[in-house]
Amino acid sequence: MKKQSIKLIKFTTLLYCACVIFSCTKPESEKVIILSKTFHGLEDTTILNKTKGDAHAGNYFSRADSTNFYGVGTIFSIPDSLLNKDLYVKLNAWARIGDLSFDKKYAMSLEDSLGNCIHWTCIDLKKHIKETNKWCQVSDSIMFSGALISKSGLLIKTYSFNPDGKSTLDCDDVELVFSIIEKPKKQ
C-alpha cells in the first residue's frame, strides 16, 4: 500500500511538472522567422577603440571609456520588404564593466538616410552584469515597432555606449540577430 502511494505521488508530481512546462511555452508553429540577419564577432562590425589585451576571445576587444564614449557597433540597412513590420534585435555579447555605479549600455537607434534619429533605445548592461572587471555574457533583445519602420532608407545603428565616460566598458564576441517574426496564416 505504501509503495503504491509513493508511486502515485511521483506520477502526480511528474504530471503536474509536465503540465506547467508545456502550458508556459508557445508552440513553435505559432512563429515563423522570415528574416534573420546575423552579425557575429567583431568581423562584421565597426570597432571603435580596438584594444589589444585581455579579450574574452582572441587578441582584441572594444573599449568605451573617458576618451571615447562609443565602442563596437554595426549598421543594419532595413530593406523595403520590412516596411511596417516589427523588427526584433537580439544581442548576445560578452561585456566587462570597470565600475557598476555608472551607466553602461548597448544602444540602438533607428535613423533615416539623413542621420535623423527616429527612435533610440538601449539595453542596460548593468542589469546583466553584477561583478566588475570580469567578462559576463549578456543576452537581451529589443523590438522596433512596425509603426516606426514606415519609410524607405531606414537604418538601425548599434553600439556599446559609456555615456558618463567614467570607468570602462569592454565588449567582445558581439552577435546581433535582426529578425522579423510573424504568425503563420491560418488555412
Side-chain angles (χ1 to χ4, degrees):
M1 180 82 167
K2 189 174 183 181
K3 284 184 179 182
Q4 286 181 333
S5 295
I6 291 173
K7 284 183 181 179
L8 182 61
I9 290 171
K10 284 181 179 180
F11 176 75
T12 306
T13 303
L14 181 63
L15 184 61
Y16 174 77
C17 290
C19 288
V20 168
I21 290 169
F22 288 113
S23 68
C24 294
T25 59
K26 292 182 180 179
E28 286 299 313
S29 62
E30 284 188 20
K31 295 181 180 179
V32 175
I33 297 175
I34 62 169
L35 163 86
S36 182
K37 173 67 175 161
T38 302
F39 294 91
H40 192 278
L42 296 181
E43 68 273 4
D44 290 332
T45 58
T46 302
I47 303 171
L48 300 175
N49 266 357
K50 184 176 176 181
T51 304
K52 186 171 185 166
D54 185 24
H56 175 259
N59 296 315
Y60 295 94
F61 62 93
S62 174
R63 172 163 282 173
D65 55 19
S66 62
T67 60
N68 193 349
F69 298 156
Y70 305 97
V72 64
T74 194
I75 298 173
F76 175 70
S77 181
I78 301 173
D80 289 349
S81 61
L82 304 183
L83 289 176
N84 302 308
K85 295 183 179 175
D86 295 343
L87 180 61
Y88 296 85
V89 183
K90 182 172 193 255
L91 169 71
N92 186 26
W94 287 85
R96 178 173 57 193
I97 293 176
D99 187 334
L100 293 173
S101 52
F102 302 103
D103 279 342
K104 307 290 188 248
K105 304 189 181 303
Y106 198 90
M108 300 184 194
S109 63
L110 177 66
E111 298 182 12
D112 65 18
S113 59
L114 301 174
N116 298 314
C117 184
I118 296 167
H119 182 71
W120 187 91
T121 188
C122 65
I123 294 170
D124 185 357
L125 297 176
K126 291 190 333 180
K127 288 183 178 180
H128 300 276
I129 299 173
K130 303 301 178 204
E131 193 174 337
T132 61
N133 299 311
K134 179 181 175 189
W135 287 108
C136 299
Q137 188 170 23
V138 175
S139 291
D140 206 338
S141 61
I142 61 100
M143 189 255 311
F144 287 94
S145 166
L148 296 171
I149 304 171
S150 60
K151 61 183 178 178
S152 295
L154 296 179
L155 306 168
I156 293 180
K157 294 183 180 179
T158 75
Y159 47 92
S160 57
F161 183 43
N162 185 355
D164 298 320
K166 308 272 187 199
S167 182
T168 56
L169 166 58
D170 300 334
C171 288
D172 199 0
D173 298 322
V174 176
E175 179 183 54
L176 292 160
V177 179
F178 295 82
S179 57
I180 298 291
I181 302 173
E182 291 185 340
K183 292 183 180 179
K185 296 176 182 162
K186 297 196 178 191
Q187 300 182 17

